[in-house]
Amino acid sequence: MIAVITGDIINSEHSETKLWITKLKNLLGNWGSNPQTWDIYRGDEFQMKCNIDDVFWHFLAIKSLLKSQENLDVRIAIGIGEENFSSEKITESNGTAYVNSGRLLNDLKNDGHTVSIKTSNDSVDRDLNILLKWSSKDFDNWTVATAEIIHEMIMNKDITQEDLAKKFAISQSSVSQRLKRANYELIVETNQYFRKKISEL
């Protein structure tokens, strides 16, 4: 069983592609090779596959990276399922994980939400999608400054508040306030719950 994330950039037409695409490529490159594990296509759409335990953290890493760019956001469909055919290009691979993710992205474009999940279990889907709808009320409203801090915390698990203060040239108390506003401790708990529910499949 694998996880497939299919996404598209919101407001990409109002942002210079060069500003975000290099950062997105570098981020996705941390998790595998292009184009077998991930790819960016049709200008502002992308797809990647990963371990089911990592999918929520990867989603947040992508979300925080793009929210740290002025006026950008991302729509993400998470599909959990099987991979029946693995191609040299992820866009040519197939299985229920890919089908769940691809169809879900089309649904997201129509219903106005920015993240959703589809698995083989309706009960797990219901629980996790309620969780995602609530948490996205925070994620969708991250400021650039909040998104930057969250992204650093996700990508560098050992980073300290002192390190963040130096990196962003702000006080440690400002770092602490940003993490509190972003409900970072609750995000960590949500990731743990997400992994537990996925493990039940």
Side-chain angles (χ1 to χ4, degrees), residues 138-196:
D138 266 353
F139 305 157
D140 291 348
N141 289 307
W142 282 341
T143 63
V144 168
T146 298
E148 286 176 338
I149 291 280
I150 293 295
H151 188 72
E152 289 297 325
M153 291 291 286
I154 290 169
M155 298 306 296
N156 302 290
K157 289 176 184 171
D158 297 327
I159 200 166
T160 65
Q161 290 193 13
E162 291 89 346
D163 293 334
L164 288 169
K166 286 177 188 171
K167 183 175 179 67
F168 294 109
I170 57 177
S171 67
Q172 187 185 335
S173 62
S174 295
V175 170
S176 178
Q177 286 167 7
R178 288 184 192 182
L179 289 172
K180 226 172 250 181
R181 277 198 302 270
N183 296 308
Y184 183 72
E185 289 184 7
L186 185 56
I187 290 172
V188 173
E189 286 183 42
T190 302
N191 178 46
Q192 292 166 348
Y193 177 77
F194 206 91
R195 293 177 68 167
K196 181 177 179 296

Side-chain angles (χ1 to χ4, degrees), residues 125-142:
D125 289 354
R126 184 183 64 247
D127 291 351
L128 290 182
N129 279 314
I130 288 171
L131 181 72
L132 287 171
K133 283 177 184 176
W134 273 111
S135 55
S136 285
K137 289 185 176 294
D138 266 353
F139 305 157
D140 291 348
N141 289 307
W142 282 341

